[in-house]
Amino acid sequence: MDYQFMPTQPNSPLLPKNLHILLVEDDEDDYFLTKSILDEISNISFTIDWIPDFNQAHESFLTNKYDLLIFDYRLGANSGIELIKLANQASLRTPIIFLTGQGNHDVDIEAMQAGAADYLIKSELTATSLERTIRYTISQKQAQDQIFFMAYYDVLTKLPNRRLFNDRLDQALLHAQRYHRVLAVLFLDLDDFKTTNDSLGHSMGDELLCAVAKRLLSCVRQSDSVSRHFDPHESTTMGRLGGDEFCILLDELRGVDEAITVAERIIAMLEKPLTIGEREIITTVSVGIAIYPDSGNDRETLLKNADAAMYAAKVKGKNTFAVFEQSMTSNTLLRLTIDVGLRKALDRDEFLLHYQPIINLSNGAIYGFEALVRWQHPQRGLIPPGSFIPIAEESGMIVPIGNWVLEHACKDLLDWHHRGATWAKMFINISYRQCVRRLDDFVANILKHFDLGSDCLTLEITESLMTRLDPSLINIFHNIHNLGVALAIDDFGSGYFSYRSLLKLPLSIIKIDRSLICDIDTNQNLTAIVQAVILMAHTLKFAVIGEGVETIEQLKILQQLKCDYAQGFLFAKPGPNEQTIKLIEHENTKNAIGPLIFNQIKCE
């Protein structure tokens, strides 16, 4: 889709190939005289529309299809100066040349003050003077357009910037208030763009933003918004506010359902792969919707509430939309508080680790522990990872937090080994952002620093991360595997994945997501799915861990399906290191956790 709505940009030709002129003149003889003078100009190609009527002229120039307007001063009961003022009220940027029947200094000054680019006296009009005036007027218009473009448009995407979008929203609100109409503001934020930008580089990130802008334009049909008094090609209903944030104004709506339809169309369109250079990239978007007048009566409130709704969409799992509700305001404030607090938490040593045991289903012994980060907030108390990890991912704080987890988990593992638990394995979750920051080098340095054998460490990657594999990331995982560190897929079955991706990485373990385990004892279809996953994994020589085991019945089924390991509240909830040490001491006395539960099964 071409950006036809754009004002003239630098390096444009001095004159359009065919100048489209509107001449407003109520005297037919004067029209023919002016046209004949124009015909004498051999260096300019033009098409001229003649309108003798004031009201018809007003309707015509509002179509904004002309490159130049020429107004006569006398137009029956009206004047050309009134037309100039109407053009100003419509925010028309087409240059205007003013014609007067005879020199009148006061009239000429009034015309220039009203907004005319130049004025000419009919009795002194020649082809040379008219050509000179046209060229001067058009070049002046192009210079003004360049300034306007720099002030009101985003140079990268060619979309209106925050300043212009705010202005258009203010105008739309005045119209909606006057005529009791409904309008919507859609606040859009690309999901995980910072991570994508880090991995692709800023140049390709910019290309991605431009491609997204084109897609967004194709999603918003002309019927979604009414642009009064503006170029029909000019999209002043969409803007880039900065970074990966976009805003769309939808006015003349009948209700929130129409805004939701547009949001769904945007989400579906952006889900389709984009080709950037030689790469195919899948990007998704979270959309927040604020409706006037329900969600606010002024621009600032509507934008703030649309932003809050967008964050609510992120919390819902991203790649979706949310309509603003009053409860979202407090959630947004909480989010900002957490974001600010995360940046201080590492320095204040507010993070701690909890560990959950992973049980060998063949003998009930503890196989290892998964390290789970917690945040001991000075005011809010213990904060679970689900409340701050998504925010850390978006802000980039996940990298230093993830590295802190790796370092401290390995430090605790070394202590367990000194206590005789050399059998213990450590499972640690890693993020995409950590991986692209040379995680292989960091892991190698950690193992060397603590003098740990690499076979005691397993790194867990999410299934969603596998949809973003590229050669450099695959190389990092192979480097980690070459160190002797095992790789596991976490939350398997919770999202989308390609079976071919399983063969690209040196994986050792698949962890079946709790969403498949929780109803395995009541849903035969889930049992069949889990059985298929276990058979596939064993065929590929992968071990299998069932997550979220909470009942004896779930445990029995996993054993029957030949699942290798399990973890969940049935065995133990995640606990601090002190609790973990007690479990290790208990295990070292050969009083394994599993057999206690297994004996209970036998008793039944």
Side-chain angles (χ1 to χ4, degrees):
M1 180 174 181
D2 295 331
Y3 294 110
Q4 299 177 14
F5 63 89
M6 283 305 306
T8 306
Q9 298 179 53
N11 303 320
S12 298
L14 183 59
L15 290 175
K17 291 182 179 179
N18 185 64
L19 202 64
H20 198 176
I21 300 174
L22 174 65
L23 173 60
V24 183
E25 170 64 72
D26 66 346
D27 188 298
E28 186 174 8
D29 291 338
D30 283 351
Y31 157 65
F32 283 115
L33 175 62
T34 305
K35 186 178 183 305
S36 66
I37 294 174
L38 281 167
D39 289 336
E40 293 178 26
I41 303 174
S42 59
N43 296 325
I44 299 178
S45 173
F46 66 88
T47 300
I48 186 167
D49 291 345
W50 170 48
I51 293 179
D53 178 75
F54 179 92
N55 292 325
Q56 187 182 354
H58 182 207
E59 295 174 2
S60 295
F61 71 62
L62 287 181
T63 63
N64 207 3
K65 64 181 181 180
Y66 296 103
D67 302 303
L68 180 67
L69 305 176
I70 301 177
F71 294 163
D72 185 25
Y73 174 55
R74 299 289 183 187
L75 296 173
N78 303 101
S79 74
I81 290 178
E82 292 176 68
L83 273 184
I84 296 175
K85 292 178 179 179
L86 289 173
N88 290 337
Q89 291 174 13
S91 300
L92 201 69
R93 296 196 301 273
T94 308
I96 300 171
I97 295 175
F98 194 67
L99 297 180
T100 58
Q102 57 183 1
N104 184 316
H105 183 69
D106 292 338
V107 171
D108 297 338
I109 293 298
E110 185 181 4
M112 297 297 288
Q113 289 177 342
D118 203 353
Y119 66 89
L120 293 172
I121 300 172
K122 291 183 181 180
S123 60
E124 300 174 0
L125 194 62
T126 65
T128 301
S129 64
L130 185 54
E131 178 182 0
R132 183 173 59 247
T133 296
I134 289 174
R135 290 190 179 278
Y136 164 75
T137 300
I138 296 297
S139 64
Q140 184 183 56
K141 165 67 165 49
Q142 290 181 341
Q144 291 172 348
D145 277 352
Q146 291 179 26
I147 295 171
F148 184 87
F149 172 76
M150 295 173 65
Y152 291 101
Y153 284 83
D154 172 48
V155 176
L156 178 63
T157 63
K158 311 300 186 293
L159 291 175
N161 61 17
R162 183 186 296 270
R163 184 177 181 183
L164 180 55
F165 183 85
N166 286 346
D167 176 71
R168 295 301 180 241
L169 178 53
D170 285 338
Q171 292 188 39
L173 281 169
L174 288 173
H175 182 82
Q177 291 163 2
R178 182 177 303 165
Y179 298 103
H180 306 290
R181 301 292 174 82
V182 175
L183 65 80
V185 173
L186 274 58
F187 200 106
L188 287 66
D189 186 90
L190 300 185
D191 297 327
D192 303 316
F193 175 75
K194 292 183 177 64
T195 302
T196 303
N197 204 35
D198 288 343
S199 61
L200 295 179
H202 292 287
S203 178
M204 290 191 70
D206 287 348
E207 288 187 49
L208 176 60
L209 287 172
C210 291
V212 166
K214 275 192 173 184
R215 285 233 174 138
L216 291 176
L217 284 170
S218 70
C219 290
V220 183
R221 298 191 298 260
Q222 190 70 21
S223 60
D224 293 328
S225 182
V226 176
S227 299
R228 295 167 306 282
H229 314 317
F230 305 112
D231 185 341
H233 296 299
E234 182 172 352
S235 173
T236 54
T237 60
M238 181 186 303
R240 180 188 178 210
L241 303 191
D244 61 329
E245 293 180 341
F246 298 85
C247 237
I248 296 175
L249 166 63
L250 305 175
D251 56 5
E252 303 291 347
L253 298 179
R254 287 184 290 271
V256 66
D257 288 346
E258 291 185 358
I260 290 174
T261 298
V262 176
E264 290 175 335
R265 191 160 72 230
I266 288 169
I267 291 167
M269 179 67 76
L270 287 185
E271 280 181 328
K272 299 176 182 177
L274 285 163
T275 301
I276 307 297
E278 297 181 354
R279 293 176 180 265
E280 191 175 76
I281 299 172
I282 297 176
T283 184
T284 60
V285 66
S286 296
V287 183
I289 302 173
I291 303 294
Y292 167 85
D294 296 344
S295 303
N297 292 311
D298 58 83
R299 168 176 37 97
E300 185 176 348
T301 302
L302 279 173
L303 286 173
K304 180 189 70 174
N305 291 343
D307 188 24
M310 181 274 294
Y311 277 121
K314 295 275 190 187
V315 173
K316 285 167 64 176
K318 304 179 182 178
N319 195 31
T320 188
F321 70 88
V323 180
F324 175 76
E325 299 173 359
Q326 287 299 326
S327 61
M328 293 176 181
T329 304
S330 58
N331 292 337
T332 301
L333 291 174
L334 174 61
R335 183 184 182 86
L336 290 173
T337 301
I338 290 176
D339 191 15
V340 172
L342 278 175
R343 300 178 186 280
K344 302 176 182 178
L346 275 176
D347 294 335
R348 296 176 177 177
D349 198 26
E350 293 173 359
F351 292 110
L352 54 89
L353 292 177
H354 281 190
Y355 298 98
Q356 185 174 37
I358 298 171
I359 306 301
N360 187 325
L361 293 187
S362 65
N363 57 21
I366 297 178
Y367 174 70
F369 296 87
E370 180 178 358
L372 300 165
V373 66
R374 301 291 188 263
W375 180 10
Q376 187 65 52
H377 194 278
Q379 283 81 41
R380 299 182 56 81
L382 195 64
I383 301 178
S387 299
F388 68 87
I389 289 297
I391 300 173
E393 287 275 8
E394 290 180 22
S395 67
M397 283 299 296
I398 194 64
V399 176
I401 293 173
N403 291 345
W404 181 92
V405 171
L406 260 170
E407 182 177 352
H408 284 72
C410 286
K411 181 180 178 181
D412 286 342
L413 180 60
L414 179 63
D415 177 59
W416 301 345
H417 284 188
H418 289 161
R419 295 173 182 271
T422 53
W423 45 265
K425 310 289 185 183
M426 181 67 77
F427 286 70
I428 301 174
N429 293 280
I430 56 174
S431 73
Y432 178 83
R433 281 178 174 264
Q434 282 177 278
C435 294
V436 298
R437 298 289 183 89
R438 300 304 308 182
L439 180 66
D440 47 354
D441 291 340
F442 187 81
V443 170
N445 291 332
I446 286 291
L447 292 173
K448 182 178 180 180
H449 176 76
F450 290 107
D451 193 23
L452 284 169
S454 56
D455 61 342
C456 64
L457 183 62
T458 298
L459 299 183
E460 299 185 17
I461 60 177
T462 61
E463 185 180 339
S464 60
L465 185 149
M466 294 188 66
T467 64
R468 308 165 73 176
L469 292 178
D470 59 36
S472 61
L473 188 59
I474 292 173
N475 184 59
I476 288 173
F477 286 132
H478 277 282
N479 290 342
I480 291 173
H481 174 72
N482 292 336
L483 292 172
V485 175
L487 289 174
I489 300 181
D490 192 20
D491 303 330
F492 190 85
S494 63
Y496 304 97
F497 76 101
S498 165
Y499 283 102
R500 186 175 293 275
S501 298
L502 295 176
L503 306 178
K504 292 181 179 180
L505 297 179
L507 299 168
S508 302
I509 299 171
I510 286 179
K511 299 185 74 175
I512 301 177
D513 187 65
R514 65 182 64 248
S515 63
L516 296 180
I517 303 296
C518 64
D519 293 322
I520 195 175
D521 50 342
T522 59
N523 188 323
Q524 291 184 349
N525 291 332
L526 279 180
T527 303
I529 292 173
V530 171
Q531 182 178 27
V533 171
I534 293 173
L535 288 173
M536 176 201 68
H538 286 166
T539 301
L540 296 174
K541 309 300 182 185
F542 300 155
V544 181
I545 300 175
E547 298 183 289
V549 179
E550 297 186 358
T551 68
I552 294 291
E553 289 74 18
Q554 293 167 1
L555 175 60
K556 285 180 180 180
I557 293 173
L558 288 178
Q559 286 181 309
Q560 292 167 4
L561 297 179
K562 307 300 182 185
C563 187
D564 302 294
Y565 307 99
Q567 69 181 104
F569 288 179
L570 177 64
F571 307 107
K573 293 183 179 180
N577 190 39
E578 296 77 12
Q579 175 181 312
T580 305
I581 290 173
K582 291 180 179 179
L583 287 176
I584 288 172
E585 292 173 346
H586 191 268
E587 188 76 14
N588 285 340
T589 63
K590 304 303 181 184
N591 293 319
I593 296 175
L596 299 177
I597 298 171
F598 294 173
N599 289 334
Q600 183 179 344
I601 295 175
K602 293 176 182 178
C603 292
E604 294 177 353

